[in-house]
């Protein structure tokens, strides 16, 4: 039944977020709380998006977690766009993107090849280390 599909999808999204962000799976997760407040950054956003995309068998946009910044918003988007299931009546609408800068950074990370990303991260770490010494 459609109601059960939404519940299963919501639980899958929650479990994916918990696993990638390294949260305690035994603790309740506030599904309406912004993922940024739970430790989401551009790299974990890519990891969550990739996991959800693989599970759905459907490509998802690079800005997915910034366009849909809560577990509820993610589940509603996936239900509607990937599986063609309309949100439950009275369900909260998806939140608007919070920060275009983060979305742009995510798109840049997504577009980078693995070796380019490794060099970029190494350079950033050198800058951080250099700042600590100076």
């Amino acid at each position: 039944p459609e109601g059960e599909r939404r519940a299963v999808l919501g639980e899958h999204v929650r479990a994916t977020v918990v696993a990638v962000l390294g949260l305690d799976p035994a603790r309740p997760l506030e599904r309406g709380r912004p993922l940024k407040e739970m430790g989401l950054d551009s790299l974990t956003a890519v990891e969550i998006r990739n996991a959800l995309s693989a599970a759905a068998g459907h490509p998802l946009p690079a800005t997915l977690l910034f366009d849909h910044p809560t577990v509820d918003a993610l589940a509603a988007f996936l239900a509607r766009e990937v599986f063609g299931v309309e949100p439950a009546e009275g369900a909260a609408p998806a939140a608007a993107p919070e920060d275009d800068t983060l979305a742009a950074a995510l798109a840049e990370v997504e577009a980078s090849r693995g070796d380019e990303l490794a060099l970029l991260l190494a350079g950033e770490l050198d800058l951080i280390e250099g700042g600590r010494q100076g």
Side-chain angles (χ1 to χ4, degrees):
E2 192 172 301
E4 287 181 32
R5 279 186 256 157
R6 271 193 223 99
V8 169
L9 179 60
E11 179 53 30
H12 179 74
V13 171
R14 185 201 73 78
T16 300
V17 166
V18 165
V20 172
L21 295 181
L23 303 174
D24 181 355
R27 294 191 66 184
L29 183 73
E30 296 174 53
R31 293 174 185 257
R33 183 176 172 202
L35 296 172
K36 248 173 48 174
E37 292 178 7
M38 295 182 221
L40 181 77
D41 60 24
S42 59
L43 292 177
T44 55
V46 169
E47 195 173 335
I48 292 169
R49 194 277 323 255
N50 288 347
L52 293 174
S53 181
H58 187 278
L60 298 171
T63 59
L64 177 69
L65 278 90
F66 298 102
D67 294 340
H68 309 283
T70 67
V71 169
D72 281 345
L74 275 171
F77 171 81
L78 291 170
R80 184 180 60 255
E81 298 298 322
V82 177
F83 300 108
V85 176
E86 288 302 316
E89 195 170 311
E98 285 185 30
D99 188 341
D100 289 337
T101 304
L102 289 173
L106 177 61
E108 183 179 330
V109 168
E110 184 65 24
S112 296
R113 290 189 10 229
D115 54 345
E116 292 170 343
L117 183 57
L119 289 172
L120 178 65
L121 288 172
E124 289 294 326
L125 289 174
D126 286 345
L127 287 175
I128 291 169
E129 288 299 317
R132 287 185 186 158
Q133 294 173 1

